[in-house]
Amino acid sequence: MADAKVIPFDDDRSRGSRGAGSRRRGSAAEPAPVGEGPVGEVQPLPVRGAAAQGPAPEPDEPEESPGAGPTAEDGGEDGGLERRVAAGLSFLRRRLTGDYEVDDFGYDAELTDQVLMSLLRPMYEKYFRVEVKGVENIPAQGGALIVANHSGTLPLDGLMMQVAVHDHHPADRHLRLLAADLVFVLPVVNELARKLGHTLACAEDAERLLAQGELVGVMPEGFKGIGKPFGERYKLQRFGRGGFVSTALRQGVPIVPCSIVGAEEIYPMIGNSKTLARLLGFPYFPLTPTFPWLGPLGAVPLPTKWTIQFGEPIPTDGYAPEAAEDPVLMFNLTDQVREQIQHTLYKLLVQRRSVFF
């Protein structure tokens, strides 16, 4: 594989149409017919004679059996199972007939909600046991840029952050991650990343998503953060040239700092085979206590305990439009975001009882 070229996030060069871009899968589903409203209550007719002397006694209501369980009509287990089977069959029908949609970036909301998140959730809940803090700091609507630290040799931290927003945000928001171009040249990974809503880490795509009111996630450390040695864990690398700040200023959206603890220890990187990395076209080739010595078993991450904390948003809507071109302001805001993330990392590390518990 040829050496992967990393496109910096703050590269403002206009790019052409993307091969994995948007396309509509078939026609949109027709709206379900609106049912008729509830029938009004029928009034009893007047009665004569003996029937008018007094109201008829109401029949005794049958007593419920102590062991009787909920029926399908009451939403019991049988009814719930039937609904799940029906929903699953309906989902399969739409996938087979192409009756679903993707957006301009290839994001498949239905597949993400019903399949991909379900595959990531066991790792999130059972394996890494992620604890989420400060999710209320993410705006309930409108665009926002979430900036997080990056670590772990493999980019599992971005996926776990995406599940955290998806499952815990009270407004059921979705996070769209910006990824390096290496992600989009790997077979299978490319298609899955697009379906999950990821797109190339460049200013053009980020601004389009923010203008549409989306939550956008970026990890400015890039390969420098994810591929750093274990001895430098939780020490933030350089945040580039402040391209993410310039993008936020142009769109007037808040910047939400995010600190992730636990990802640094899943693959303790004790070495880097630069020769193999160059041959394979990777930015680095990690050597850990288990990989590649144990083969495929060495690729299993350690079950560390994670904490993801979203900090208070930093507003940018109070600056003039030309502020996005001010290098001093961009440097100051970049440093403010970086310092806030680093300070929170240290605080979470002090509070942590153990790497695994």
Side-chain angles (χ1 to χ4, degrees):
M1 181 187 298
D3 290 349
K5 178 184 177 182
V6 179
I7 299 180
F9 173 74
D10 54 348
D11 189 352
D12 288 330
R13 293 176 297 177
S14 175
R15 300 182 295 108
S17 61
R18 291 169 291 276
S22 158
R23 49 187 61 89
R24 179 185 176 94
R25 305 294 186 183
S27 59
E30 296 181 1
V34 179
E36 297 180 358
V39 180
E41 182 181 358
V42 179
Q43 300 295 329
L45 295 175
V47 294
R48 301 177 182 273
Q53 297 176 3
E58 296 181 359
D60 294 333
E61 295 182 1
E63 296 182 358
E64 294 184 4
S65 174
T71 63
E73 292 77 14
D74 297 331
E77 293 183 1
D78 293 341
L81 178 60
E82 290 177 1
R83 286 193 296 271
R84 288 195 295 270
V85 171
L89 292 176
S90 177
F91 172 79
L92 290 176
R93 178 189 62 78
R94 290 192 296 273
R95 309 314 292 188
L96 293 174
T97 60
D99 189 13
Y100 62 94
E101 296 182 4
V102 297
D103 71 0
D104 291 343
F105 298 89
Y107 173 50
D108 191 330
E110 183 184 50
L111 183 68
T112 296
D113 290 343
Q114 299 194 23
V115 177
L116 300 181
M117 285 294 161
S118 298
L119 296 176
L120 293 172
R121 197 167 286 119
M123 177 178 288
Y124 174 90
E125 294 179 347
K126 306 299 183 182
Y127 199 78
F128 293 135
R129 295 148 291 147
V130 181
E131 180 183 358
V132 181
K133 299 180 179 180
V135 71
E136 66 277 0
N137 289 321
I138 301 175
Q141 58 185 1
L145 188 65
I146 299 179
V147 182
N149 59 304
H150 207 13
S151 62
T153 305
L154 291 181
L156 297 180
D157 51 357
L159 296 176
M160 295 300 102
M161 183 171 64
Q162 193 171 9
V163 179
V165 175
H166 181 277
D167 286 3
H168 294 279
H169 196 277
D172 298 325
R173 303 209 64 179
H174 297 260
L175 180 63
R176 309 291 293 272
L177 290 175
L178 304 178
D181 62 337
L182 178 61
V183 172
F184 302 105
V185 299
L186 296 175
V188 181
V189 175
N190 167 36
E191 188 67 18
L192 289 176
R194 289 289 182 185
K195 296 293 186 183
L196 274 165
H198 304 175
T199 190
L200 194 63
C202 66
E204 179 189 14
D205 285 3
E207 289 188 20
R208 287 182 60 193
L209 287 170
L210 291 172
Q212 295 171 11
E214 299 282 358
L215 286 179
V216 178
V218 60
M219 296 174 164
E221 291 177 282
F223 291 128
K224 300 188 302 294
I226 197 175
K228 64 177 177 287
F230 186 67
E232 299 180 11
R233 59 191 180 279
Y234 299 114
K235 296 179 181 178
L236 294 183
Q237 305 298 301
R238 184 172 174 267
F239 269 23
R241 293 173 292 175
F244 68 92
V245 171
S246 177
T247 299
L249 287 170
R250 288 192 182 97
Q251 296 299 320
V253 299
I255 299 173
V256 181
C258 177
S259 302
I260 304 174
V261 165
E264 293 275 16
E265 295 89 359
I266 61 173
Y267 295 111
M269 187 170 166
I270 58 177
N272 177 20
S273 178
K274 296 181 180 180
T275 302
L276 285 175
R278 190 161 45 249
L279 291 174
L280 296 174
F282 294 156
Y284 56 89
F285 188 88
L287 302 175
T288 74
T290 58
F291 182 83
W293 329 115
L294 299 183
L297 186 61
V300 177
L302 296 178
T304 58
K305 175 73 170 63
W306 287 35
T307 301
I308 299 178
Q309 179 162 334
F310 299 96
E312 294 185 3
I314 300 173
T316 65
D317 54 354
Y319 295 95
E322 59 272 13
E325 309 300 329
D326 185 349
V328 176
L329 176 61
M330 285 193 297
F331 175 82
N332 290 337
L333 286 177
T334 301
D335 191 58
Q336 179 182 352
V337 175
R338 186 178 180 278
E339 287 299 320
Q340 187 167 336
I341 295 174
Q342 184 70 81
H343 176 74
T344 304
L345 286 175
Y346 288 148
K347 184 174 66 174
L348 293 175
L349 288 171
V350 170
Q351 297 172 353
R352 183 169 67 168
R353 296 177 300 170
S354 166
V355 173
F356 300 101
F357 303 103

